[in-house]
Amino acid sequence: MAMDYAAIARNGLWDNNVVFGQLLALCPLLAVTGTATNGLGMGLASTAVMVGAGLAVSVLRKVITPQIRIPAFVLLIACLVTVVDLALNAWLHDLHKGLGLFIPLIVTNCAILGRAEAFASRYEPLAATADGLMMGIGFTVALVALGGVREILGSGTLFADAAVLLGPGFGFLERTVIPDYQGFLLMILPPGGFIALGFLLALKALADRRSRPDETASAAPEKVFTAAGVLTRQTPESGETP
């Protein structure tokens, strides 16, 4: 059976987005998104782990027995997180200090373990790698979007200190969106993260609703169980149960 990679991409980026679709990984999401720069760094680190975990689990899916699959998946993810943690400490030390404890805590990100169990353990390596990449990019987009909103409203900047935290190559991202802005401290604090996340979730729900045609009028007859447990059908036009 041919794999639908377009569906995998849409699933990871939008329909089943780690944050906006599944509401997972909210702890690092709210903790590190005081700026878009931190969100981008955390997202890239998580994406690297997701891709590696998807590939490793898929390659070893026929070797790992079902009885020990969860501990084995956690061990694989922990190894990948250790590699990413050491790499950030070596080459992006300022970003490593900024993200702090949340890099090792990628091990506990239920989205990574969930994709390993639900997808990578059942499909071939190429599809599992694509799924990990799309899920990681979707997670990164959510982190950057939330971090960008909070940073703009909180301090009037966007991707502040990107050249320092991510390297000189990211310096072009730094922007002053609102000059001479005194800042709104609440948006940088955790309560501001909850408020911004709520608005972003509402915008996604609105976009999903507008992208789908109204199915109420043309819906097929619904199956309805009455109080007596009798299965009937109800048409949306009449509301009657023949």
Side-chain angles (χ1 to χ4, degrees):
M1 182 178 62
M3 183 61 61
D4 188 352
Y5 288 96
I8 290 177
R10 180 177 176 83
N11 191 48
L13 296 176
W14 187 261
D15 292 339
N16 202 28
N17 183 277
V18 171
V19 175
F20 299 134
Q22 304 180 65
L23 290 179
L24 298 177
L26 296 186
C27 178
L29 176 81
L30 297 171
V32 306
T33 54
T35 66
T37 305
N38 285 345
L40 179 58
M42 186 67 181
L44 294 177
S46 300
T47 300
V49 175
M50 285 186 176
V51 172
L55 177 60
V57 169
S58 180
V59 169
L60 298 174
R61 69 187 187 281
K62 296 182 180 179
V63 178
I64 300 173
T65 60
Q67 293 79 6
I68 63 167
R69 69 186 188 284
I70 299 301
F73 295 166
V74 173
L75 181 60
L76 288 172
I77 294 170
C79 291
L80 293 168
V81 171
T82 301
V83 172
V84 170
D85 186 28
L86 293 175
L88 288 177
N89 195 15
W91 291 303
L92 296 173
H93 185 65
D94 290 326
L95 178 63
H96 183 270
K97 289 193 300 182
L99 297 179
L101 182 63
F102 291 98
I103 299 176
L105 285 179
I106 294 176
V107 177
T108 64
N109 190 331
C110 47
I112 301 176
L113 181 59
R115 296 314 295 174
E117 168 68 11
F119 194 95
S121 62
R122 305 179 184 184
Y123 294 94
E124 69 275 8
L126 183 59
T129 303
D131 178 74
L133 179 61
M134 291 300 105
M135 284 289 172
I137 293 176
F139 183 47
T140 303
V141 170
L143 286 165
V144 173
L146 184 60
V149 169
R150 295 177 64 186
E151 183 179 356
I152 291 173
L153 296 178
S155 58
T157 61
L158 186 63
F159 289 104
D161 300 323
V164 176
L165 298 177
L166 301 175
F170 289 87
F172 71 96
L173 294 174
E174 298 180 8
R175 294 287 186 274
T176 298
V177 180
I178 309 176
D180 302 323
Y181 181 55
Q182 298 299 318
F184 185 31
L185 182 60
L186 176 66
M187 296 307 300
I188 302 177
L189 298 176
F194 281 102
I195 295 171
L197 178 60
F199 276 104
L200 290 177
L201 289 172
L203 288 175
K204 182 183 183 298
L206 181 61
D208 286 337
R209 179 177 298 180
R210 290 188 173 182
S211 65
R212 300 190 183 109
D214 187 6
E215 300 175 355
T216 303
S218 60
E222 293 181 332
K223 294 180 178 179
V224 179
F225 282 95
T226 65
V230 179
L231 177 62
T232 62
R233 292 183 180 273
Q234 180 177 357
T235 57
E237 292 84 359
S238 63
E240 298 175 353
T241 56

